[in-house]
Amino acid sequence: MAVWLVRAGGHGEFQDKFISEGRVYVTWDGLDVDLSRLRGRDALIAAMEERYPGSKPKSLLNQASQIWPFAHEMKKGDWIVLPLKHQRAIQIGELTGDYAFEPDGPDPFFHWRPVKWIGEAIPRSHFGKDLLNTFGAFMTICRVQKNDAEARLKAMRKNSWKPESGTQAVAALTPLPDSVEPDAGAEVDLEERARDGIVRLILSRFKGEGLERLVEGILRAQGYTTWRSGGSSDGGADILAGAGPLGFGSPRLVVEVKSGDSPIDRPTVDKLLGSVTKFGANEGLFVSWSGFKNNVQKELASSFFRVRMWSQTELLDALYEVYDRLDPDLRAELPLKRIWAVALPDEE
């Protein structure tokens, strides 16, 4: 089998469609040509020149190198790595059929392959740093060959997608045979790599109940007065938070913090909604280090004005926003520095 990285659009905007339909798509706008009928990559480039006039030859060559394998190299039984954008997690799937072309679209969904999702919302922190770097290539579609990815993903599946062991990560550093070509797309998403580094630092210094302490620190920096159970019997609340210097203002929050390895399901979030009523709060905040099951956000739409859910993505965003206002002791445990980097358009 081969392992392929496939992104659900440039910004993950088609993620829900991929997951709910059990399909992966080529998401290039206007590419209404049957890829299976093209005799070579030059024919694909010619078709793209017609549809994207004014595009640079180098850009078309790069795009064709991603699109061509979707129809001509991927095979039934290959695995798909789908980085999720709405939470810091990876979805893993297995291709179950051949390439299909839908001439009527709708645009851009002309090309698809059926997939069975075998690993749902696996936290990025479960994967070795080297694998994450490979998954961070600036490519929409590419084959993943570095770092013994195939064998390591198989081992993770046998272990119910639990975090990779240190032994696996060290073994992956052994050089591969010369016959194995490096992955396409050497450029890496530096922002994603930086976030992964911050996640690992948080994991090392705020394990278990320590994550409650970090969440409390963020809420305090946001202006809340808080109470934290600190490991005692919490009665359904890890943290209580109220606005203002005494905490008597509104909004009043009940906060649940989970630092486990598994995504949270709907019934667990429902328990927080019960605690909101029990404690006379206005809203609830559920912080899950490992994210949430794919269906949770949709099913809780009716509770939009009662509960918020933070996965790693929202937690990090909140941390960045208030970092300069955090307690000095927390900043000492979590030393961060803001940097700037050049952001070039895709074709450059």
Side-chain angles (χ1 to χ4, degrees):
M1 88 177 195
V3 178
W4 300 87
L5 175 72
V6 179
R7 299 188 186 278
H11 305 284
E13 61 270 32
F14 305 126
Q15 170 183 308
D16 291 343
K17 180 178 179 68
F18 280 34
I19 293 173
S20 63
E21 294 183 3
R23 293 178 175 183
V24 286
Y25 291 90
V26 171
T27 55
W28 269 255
D29 292 330
L31 192 61
D32 55 347
V33 56
D34 187 344
L35 302 177
S36 65
R37 294 181 178 274
L38 300 178
R39 294 188 176 182
R41 297 194 188 202
D42 289 343
L44 172 57
I45 292 174
M48 295 177 71
E49 286 175 339
E50 294 179 6
R51 289 161 176 79
Y52 312 126
S55 296
K56 298 179 180 179
K58 184 178 179 181
S59 174
L60 291 178
L61 180 63
N62 176 277
Q63 294 178 61
S65 71
Q66 299 177 62
I67 297 168
W68 182 261
F70 190 89
H72 296 274
E73 297 177 20
M74 290 184 181
K75 295 180 175 60
K76 181 179 178 180
D78 286 355
W79 282 16
I80 298 297
V81 173
L82 177 67
L84 303 183
K85 284 293 185 181
H86 303 330
Q87 54 181 314
R88 298 189 57 73
I90 303 287
Q91 192 92 356
I92 304 291
E94 180 179 343
L95 291 178
T96 58
D98 297 327
Y99 164 81
F101 173 64
E102 295 282 355
D104 297 326
D107 193 1
F109 307 111
F110 301 108
H111 320 275
W112 60 273
R113 281 180 174 272
V115 62
K116 175 185 177 182
W117 299 114
I118 58 177
E120 180 181 353
I122 306 161
R124 290 177 63 89
S125 56
H126 286 202
F127 300 87
K129 180 179 178 181
D130 53 342
L131 279 184
L132 290 179
N133 289 342
T134 302
F135 299 162
F138 270 129
M139 304 283 274
T140 302
I141 303 171
C142 67
R143 185 172 177 182
V144 178
Q145 293 176 287
K146 285 184 178 180
N147 302 312
D148 202 19
E150 178 183 330
R152 291 167 65 184
L153 291 178
K154 284 183 176 179
M156 289 181 69
R157 185 187 187 186
K158 289 182 180 178
N159 199 30
S160 302
W161 301 110
K162 293 179 181 177
E164 281 196 286
S165 68
T167 302
Q168 289 172 308
V170 171
L173 299 178
T174 303
L176 295 177
D178 293 338
S179 59
V180 178
E181 297 180 359
D183 290 1
E187 292 187 34
V188 173
D189 188 335
L190 295 179
E191 181 180 2
E192 196 67 65
R193 179 178 289 190
R195 281 186 169 237
D196 287 334
I198 294 169
V199 164
R200 292 184 182 280
L201 182 60
I202 292 174
L203 269 175
S204 67
R205 300 190 177 181
F206 296 93
K207 292 181 180 179
E209 294 176 6
L211 189 62
E212 296 178 18
R213 188 163 53 87
L214 179 60
V215 171
E216 182 186 34
I218 292 172
L219 293 172
R220 284 181 176 273
Q222 290 178 338
Y224 287 96
T225 299
T226 63
W227 170 89
R228 179 166 57 92
S229 65
S232 62
S233 179
D234 55 33
D238 292 323
I239 302 170
L240 298 177
L246 296 178
F248 295 149
S250 188
R252 298 188 297 272
L253 306 178
V254 174
V255 185
E256 185 77 8
V257 181
K258 296 292 186 183
S259 59
D261 295 331
S262 301
I264 297 301
D265 57 15
R266 167 69 186 274
T268 305
V269 180
D270 285 343
K271 292 179 181 178
L272 174 64
L273 291 172
S275 296
V276 169
T277 301
K278 173 182 176 180
F279 287 94
N282 305 113
E283 292 97 16
L285 171 63
F286 204 120
V287 182
S288 171
W289 183 252
S290 296
F292 300 87
K293 295 283 188 180
N294 290 321
N295 63 328
V296 171
Q297 293 280 2
K298 287 185 177 181
E299 292 182 1
L300 285 170
S302 60
S303 300
F304 177 81
F305 296 108
R306 295 188 63 206
V307 66
R308 285 290 179 272
M309 289 173 283
W310 284 4
S311 63
Q312 288 180 23
T313 298
E314 292 78 17
L315 178 62
L316 290 181
D317 288 343
L319 172 65
Y320 299 155
E321 186 175 349
V322 302
Y323 181 77
D324 292 338
R325 303 194 298 274
L326 284 179
D327 183 270
D329 289 341
L330 279 177
R331 291 204 305 272
E333 290 182 81
L334 192 59
L336 303 179
K337 180 172 70 174
R338 188 189 302 271
I339 64 171
W340 294 93
V342 175
L344 295 174
D346 292 341
E347 291 193 358
E348 296 186 30

